[in-house]
Amino acid sequence: MKNVYKRNMFVISCLIFMIITLFTSCTTTTYNVSQDGMGKSTTSPPLRVGISTNAPPFAFKQGGKLQGLDVDFALQLGKFLNRNIQFKELEWEDQIPALEADKIDVIMSGMTITEERSYRVTFSKPYLRTGQMLLTKRQKAGLYTDGIYSLMANQRPIGTIEGTTGDLVVSKTINRANLTRYPTTEKAIKALEDGEIDVLVHDAPIVSYFAARSKNNDLTPHRQLASEEYIG
């Protein structure tokens, strides 16, 4: 009886360990600086780069491979430092905690420089000027010709991505906004296409990317920036 009990406890312990490992792991992809013939072989430890793959054109997956501006920047940085690049795919909200816990060396995922984030991490010099932009359906574009100011005198449903700069801008700018926060850009875009929200406020490069890929050009960006920001 005791042996059966010990064996059952061992099986349960193994299952718990497997579950914990499953939910705490992240996808890791390593690129060698010498694999394309442009870099030299290196014995230095790889540069661990935190990246979120749901933010095109900064970082996304196409055909199972990492693509995007920040992916290219990271690979060029690896060549400059003569260090292999190890991409660690993380949820957006896990990026800064992973850096603080020394699980990654750098975040390269289109992160806007803000005062609040600067208390926790050190940013590089800005490499991109950007801002928040409105995305609407083409047939409703005439309602938002004044950009962010078009949202101040009504209760039209607005969407943002939770924890992003766009979420902060809308919360601080629009009094009693009719706001819905979404966990990912893809879900917010789906809500906009389905009519659950009238407008999405998000980073200009991401808004432009999804507008260009929309079916029948149904989505249109409003070029008037709602804020001025820098990515570092």
Side-chain angles (χ1 to χ4, degrees):
M1 185 70 180
K2 288 183 178 180
N3 290 336
V4 173
Y5 174 79
K6 289 181 179 179
R7 186 165 58 251
N8 288 341
M9 289 302 296
F10 175 77
V11 172
I12 292 171
S13 298
C14 289
L15 288 172
I16 292 173
F17 174 78
M18 291 172 63
I19 292 171
I20 291 173
T21 301
L22 175 65
F23 284 98
T24 57
S25 62
C26 62
T27 303
T28 300
T29 306
T30 302
Y31 288 80
N32 297 327
V33 295
S34 59
Q35 66 184 12
D36 58 3
M38 297 180 65
K40 300 177 181 178
S41 60
T42 176
T43 57
S44 301
L47 186 69
R48 301 168 300 169
V49 177
I51 200 164
S52 298
T53 58
N54 59 352
F58 296 110
F60 59 101
K61 277 192 167 181
Q62 190 170 36
K65 294 183 178 181
L66 291 171
Q67 305 284 341
L69 296 173
D70 281 328
V71 174
D72 292 340
F73 289 159
L75 294 177
Q76 291 302 316
L77 178 62
K79 292 175 184 177
F80 178 78
L81 298 175
N82 196 33
R83 292 178 65 178
N84 295 333
I85 296 297
Q86 189 176 82
F87 289 108
K88 290 187 175 289
E89 297 175 38
L90 299 165
E91 297 296 327
W92 176 255
E93 63 273 14
D94 295 333
Q95 291 281 5
I96 291 180
L99 185 62
E100 291 175 323
D102 196 32
K103 295 179 180 179
I104 56 176
D105 300 311
V106 61
I107 298 170
M108 297 187 72
S109 203
M111 184 169 285
T112 304
I113 299 172
T114 67
E115 183 177 3
E116 182 181 1
R117 290 170 181 162
S118 295
Y119 288 128
R120 300 178 65 183
V121 300
T122 300
F123 284 95
S124 67
K125 290 183 179 180
Y127 63 86
L128 182 65
R129 176 183 176 273
T130 183
Q132 297 305 300
M133 187 178 283
L134 275 61
L135 182 66
T136 67
K137 283 193 170 183
R138 188 168 297 278
Q139 58 266 37
K140 292 187 177 182
L143 300 174
Y144 302 97
T145 54
D146 292 327
I148 194 73
Y149 300 104
S150 303
L151 305 177
M152 294 183 176
N154 57 70
Q155 282 290 301
R156 294 191 180 99
I158 306 168
T160 63
I161 313 304
E162 186 175 7
T164 62
T165 314
D167 189 12
L168 180 64
V169 167
V170 171
S171 300
K172 285 190 173 183
T173 306
I174 311 300
N175 188 30
R176 290 177 294 188
N178 182 10
L179 177 61
T180 301
R181 296 179 173 92
Y182 294 91
T184 66
T185 305
E186 288 78 8
K187 290 186 177 181
I189 294 294
K190 182 69 164 53
L192 181 61
E193 291 173 337
D194 292 346
E196 296 176 15
I197 55 176
D198 278 2
V199 58
L200 171 65
V201 181
H202 202 14
D203 295 327
I206 299 177
V207 163
S208 300
Y209 175 87
F210 280 100
R213 292 176 61 87
S214 64
K215 295 179 180 179
N216 303 316
N217 295 321
D218 189 42
L219 302 181
T220 183
H222 295 258
R223 301 299 180 185
Q224 182 180 352
L225 292 177
S227 63
E228 183 177 352
E229 302 161 8
Y230 295 88
I231 292 176

